[in-house]
Every structure is written in structure tokens, then in C-alpha cells.
Amino acid sequence: SQQGEEDPQALSIQEGENATMNCSYKTSINNLQWYRQNSGRGLVHLILIRSNEREKHSGRLRVTLDTSKKSSSLLITASRAADTASYFCAPSMKTSYDKVIFGPGTSLSVIP
Amino acid sequence: EAQVTQNPRYLITVTGKKLTVTCSQNMNHEYMSWYRQDPGLGLRQIYYSMNVEVTDKGDVPEGYKVSRKEKRNFPLILESPSPNQTSLYFCASSLLASGGEKLFFGSGTQLSVL
């Protein structure tokens, strides 16, 4: 079963609005990452938040982590058309090594 | 420039014809991994390697082989491709063998097996 599940599956917003994507996972993690994928291209790392952190910022991105609820959220502020992409959360499971599991992703469309 | 290079970008083949997708990284990373991406399923791990000569199965290893003879290279081999292996494939690497850190991805290989 997939470790990370993003919600919603698809999101469409106007340029300038904020976009929020959520991720839920099932077991204990060491960290959680978010990646972006432009259509059919390789994934690009956005941000990594460790299990002992609650919030992290990078430019227009804000990631929160609630380990008690086993959930994370990615907020993109003041969205741009160039933010149109799929976004994946990737929890790192506590196993013999830190296995990263990808969810099915959220498809974000930012309309100019 | 630090990168993961996959080749080819597109590949069309027929059932049963052996093929290799190459992957090379220039960052001296210990960890390398292969994923396949199918609509609605996200990325599923095929095989991974923690270092030279150390490989292990991921979640969907059937029908695939890998080798790690050199640190920089991690080819994916399909000995007898079948249509259900039609997919978008990605190679990725990260610095530490322990995994769980930032992954660098190649540009992908779109494989069609007829």
C-alpha cells in the first residue's frame, strides 16, 4: 500500500491565489519530502521536513508536519502559471533504511 | 553540472526483445534507485542500490534486473519486455546509502512495449 496519499487529486486555481495540498501517511517517519513534476519530466525536490520539525519555509512554499495526525501540508502562496505541475509528498519510512515512498500526487493547474 | 543522466528518453520495442536503460550520476552518490510511473499509481520503486555491488528489490521488481558495477552507473535491464512494462521510468540518486534524503531524478525514459 502507498505510504503517502495526497489530497486533493486535482486542484485548479487562479493566478495569485494560494494553493494548499495535503498529505497523509500511515507509519512512523524520519522525514517527509515534497517534489514537483512538470508534465512527464523528472521530479524536482522542493523541501524536506524532519520529524522533529513542525514548519518549514522556502520562498513561496510553506510546509507543515503534524506527526500526531500523520499528515503534512504544502502551501504555495501567490501562485503563478509556472507552478502548474504535479506535486508529490514522499514520507521516509523507518525501516532498515529510510525508504522513500511516493503517493499518486496532486495535479495543480494555475490559470493565468 | 550535477545531474542524473538517463538514456534513451524514448524507446519503442517489441515483446521479448532485451533492452537496457542506462543511468549515470556525477555526484558520487551512494544510493541509486529505479522507479516506474503509471497514471494514478504514483512512482513505484523497482530496484535500489546502496553502493557498488549492493542491490535489492523494491516494490515491483518482477521482470527487471539491475547491476551496480561502478558507483556512477545503475542500468536497468529488461530481459524479455512485455506490454505491461510500458511505462515512464525514472532513475534517481541520493548522497547517502541510508536513503531518506533528497533524491535527484533523471529526465525519464518513456518505454512502449508492443
Side-chain angles (χ1 to χ4, degrees):
Chain A
S1 62
Q2 291 173 343
Q3 169 73 329
E5 294 280 347
E6 295 92 348
D7 174 64
Q9 290 185 343
L11 181 60
S12 183
I13 60 174
Q14 295 291 132
E15 201 166 30
E17 293 180 339
N18 295 341
T20 300
M21 288 158 268
N22 301 300
C23 169
S24 60
Y25 58 91
K26 295 182 180 135
T27 61
S28 295
I29 62 171
N30 284 327
N31 63 49
L32 186 143
Q33 302 176 60
W34 284 90
Y35 288 82
R36 183 188 74 229
Q37 182 184 34
N38 292 93
S39 180
R41 308 301 295 181
L43 279 70
V44 175
H45 182 266
L46 295 175
I47 200 163
L48 182 153
I49 186 166
R50 302 202 180 273
S51 60
N52 61 354
E53 297 175 307
R54 291 297 166 257
E55 187 171 311
K56 205 161 183 181
H57 297 255
S58 177
R60 293 184 296 112
L61 306 180
R62 173 178 167 253
V63 168
T64 62
L65 179 64
D66 187 335
T67 54
S68 66
K69 295 181 179 178
K70 292 186 170 57
S71 68
S72 174
S73 68
L74 170 67
L75 169 67
I76 304 174
T77 60
S79 62
R80 306 165 181 168
D83 294 327
T84 294
S86 292
Y87 291 82
F88 296 86
C89 79
S92 172
M93 296 167 58
K94 286 185 178 179
T95 61
S96 57
Y97 75 104
D98 289 349
K99 182 173 182 177
V100 175
I101 304 291
F102 289 87
T106 291
S107 177
L108 173 65
S109 296
V110 180
I111 303 164
Chain B
E1 180 190 353
Q3 60 184 0
V4 177
T5 303
Q6 272 181 250
N7 281 298
R9 180 75 178 95
Y10 300 95
L11 181 56
I12 301 174
T13 190
V14 296
T15 299
K17 186 175 181 181
K18 180 180 178 179
L19 66 91
T20 300
V21 184
T22 63
C23 174
S24 179
Q25 50 89 8
N26 63 359
M27 296 169 280
N28 201 36
H29 283 175
E30 292 184 342
Y31 180 87
M32 297 185 75
S33 182
W34 277 103
Y35 298 87
R36 61 177 288 173
Q37 185 178 28
D38 302 288
L41 296 178
L43 275 77
R44 293 181 291 169
Q45 190 179 47
I46 303 170
Y47 270 94
Y48 64 93
S49 169
M50 292 192 181
N51 217 321
V52 175
E53 303 292 359
V54 180
T55 64
D56 207 347
K57 296 176 181 178
D59 299 312
V60 288
E62 294 78 20
Y64 304 94
K65 283 176 57 177
V66 293
S67 67
R68 187 98 181 269
K69 294 185 171 60
E70 305 164 285
K71 198 171 187 178
R72 62 184 292 126
N73 296 324
F74 191 45
L76 179 69
I77 302 157
L78 284 71
E79 294 271 3
S80 182
S82 63
N84 64 11
Q85 292 177 299
T86 291
S87 186
L88 180 57
Y89 291 86
F90 290 102
C91 179
S93 71
S94 67
L95 180 62
L96 299 176
S98 59
E101 297 296 328
K102 174 181 176 180
L103 286 165
F104 292 78
F105 280 82
S107 296
T109 296
Q110 181 65 60
L111 172 65
S112 295
V113 183
L114 306 177

